[in-house]
């Protein structure tokens, strides 16, 4: 009996510990200043009223809806290119690292790896305090891979997502862009060198090496599979790429 009681108490303690460490949600009745997880210095980041935020066991935000456009550092900030923001020439000369400033002719200041994220949109923070996923408020240019040259522009008012390691996961192209999909090595029969042009304004996703796993070709494209067979990929159609070949979404 004593053994059973001891085991029961141990189980209750374990359940209590797990409950204490579990993430919790909070519905905000007003715009509320909260601190994202991973932050060691608290700033006036407001989250929108009548929305729900997810908090960790330290009462810091994992996910929530921003009350207004806010400058934050994405998880893949090291791959940002030409990272600057603008302030009025009459404004005080200091870097407003986290707050929205409407565009006016004036000073151009390095953004130190920050991107402006839209207000009234969901945002997710990594454990180190950077942004895993959020809606960007201006076009963002990223270096696609740290092992090769090449930059891609992603469209404003769309979601940009990174892995916790800082690798680009997905976004929406701001312009038609030629990129190599997974399986490009089987497509060296012509001068394309394994590149496919993907359509502007369409979503695209990448593997850890910066190769396209999902995207929409901008025009009809002949694609060769690993077994030597080929297929003509239709233009403007969502396509999945893997090491064996490519598969397009079926028309409804």
């Amino acid at each position: 009996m004593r053994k059973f009681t001891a085991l029961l108490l141990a189980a209750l303690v374990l359940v209590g510990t797990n409950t204490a460490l579990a993430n919790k949600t909070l519905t905000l009745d007003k715009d509320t200043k909260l601190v994202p997880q991973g932050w060691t210095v608290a700033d006036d980041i407001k989250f929108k009223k009548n929305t729900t935020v997810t908090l960790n066991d330290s009462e810091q935000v994992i996910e929530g809806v921003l009350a207004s456009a806010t400058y934050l550092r994405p998880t893949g900030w090291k791959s940002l290119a030409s990272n600057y923001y603008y302030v009025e020439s009459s404004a005080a000369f200091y870097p407003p690292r986290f707050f929205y400033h409407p565009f006016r002719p004036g000073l151009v200041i390095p953004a130190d790896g920050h991107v402006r994220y839209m207000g009234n949109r969901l945002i997710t923070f990594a454990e180190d305090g950077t942004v895993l996923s959020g809606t960007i408020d201006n076009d963002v240019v990223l270096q696609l891979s740290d092992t090769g040259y090449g930059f891609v522009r992603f469209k404003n008012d769309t979601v940009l997502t990174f892995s916790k390691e800082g690798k680009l996961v997905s976004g929406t192209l701001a312009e038609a862009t030629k990129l190599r999909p997974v399986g490009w090595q089987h497509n060296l029969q012509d001068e394309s060198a394994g590149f496919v042009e993907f359509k502007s304004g369409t979503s695209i996703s990448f593997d850890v090496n910066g190769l396209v796993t999902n995207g929409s070709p901008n025009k009809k494209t002949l694609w060769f599979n690993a077994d030597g067979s080929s297929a003509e990929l239709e233009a403007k159609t969502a396509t999945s790429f893997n090491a064996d070949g490519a598969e397009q979404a079926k028309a409804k």
Side-chain angles (χ1 to χ4, degrees):
M1 183 67 180
R2 289 180 180 176
K3 184 177 181 180
F4 174 78
T5 302
L7 289 172
L8 179 60
L9 288 173
L12 289 173
V13 169
L14 182 60
V15 169
T17 300
N18 288 339
T19 301
L21 294 176
N23 299 333
K24 70 176 183 180
T25 58
L26 175 67
T27 301
L28 306 177
D29 58 5
K30 62 180 181 179
D31 287 357
T32 305
K33 295 178 183 178
L34 297 169
V35 181
Q37 68 172 350
W39 284 35
T40 56
V41 177
D43 258 291
D44 294 337
I45 303 300
K46 284 189 177 182
F47 293 86
K48 191 173 179 62
K49 66 179 181 180
N50 299 325
T51 64
T52 299
V53 294
T54 301
L55 305 175
N56 64 15
D57 59 301
S58 297
E59 304 296 318
Q60 292 180 297
V61 178
I62 298 173
E63 188 173 78
V65 177
L66 292 173
S68 60
T70 307
Y71 280 97
L72 298 164
R73 178 174 276 186
T75 311
W77 66 273
K78 291 182 180 179
S79 62
L80 288 169
S82 302
N83 188 218
Y84 297 89
Y85 58 78
Y86 300 85
V87 295
E88 291 180 88
S89 56
S90 59
F93 188 85
Y94 68 94
R97 295 170 185 267
F98 304 115
F99 306 108
Y100 171 71
H101 288 266
F103 173 81
R104 295 182 179 89
L107 297 173
V108 180
I109 301 175
D112 293 334
H114 291 77
V115 166
R116 193 172 70 212
Y117 286 91
M118 293 189 73
N120 199 31
R121 302 292 180 89
L122 189 68
I123 198 162
T124 303
F125 294 93
E127 290 183 357
D128 67 355
T130 58
V131 177
L132 284 170
S133 179
T135 302
I136 53 179
D137 202 23
N138 52 276
D139 285 4
V140 170
V141 180
L142 295 169
Q143 183 173 336
L144 188 58
S145 170
D146 55 10
T147 59
Y149 180 83
F151 299 87
V152 180
R153 181 179 296 274
F154 293 93
K155 191 176 183 301
N156 71 89
D157 197 14
T158 62
V159 176
L160 188 64
T161 305
F162 297 90
S163 69
K164 63 181 181 179
E165 293 80 19
K167 298 293 186 181
L168 178 63
V169 173
S170 62
T172 298
L173 294 174
E175 56 196 5
T177 309
K178 291 182 179 180
L179 300 164
R180 274 179 169 162
V182 175
W184 66 269
Q185 297 90 341
H186 310 301
N187 290 267
L188 300 176
Q189 287 88 343
D190 57 30
E191 67 280 1
S192 70
F195 285 87
V196 171
E197 184 174 82
F198 290 93
K199 181 174 171 53
S200 171
T202 59
S203 61
I204 194 163
S205 59
F206 302 88
D207 69 3
V208 295
N209 299 310
L211 298 177
V212 177
T213 56
N214 291 276
S216 298
N218 198 34
K219 55 187 177 182
K220 284 189 175 183
T221 302
L222 182 63
W223 192 252
F224 290 89
N225 301 316
D227 62 5
S229 63
S230 64
E232 190 172 63
L233 304 180
E234 293 295 328
K236 306 175 184 179
T237 303
T239 307
S240 298
F241 297 90
N242 57 53
D244 295 325
E247 183 178 355
Q248 291 197 294
K250 296 181 179 179
K252 295 181 179 180

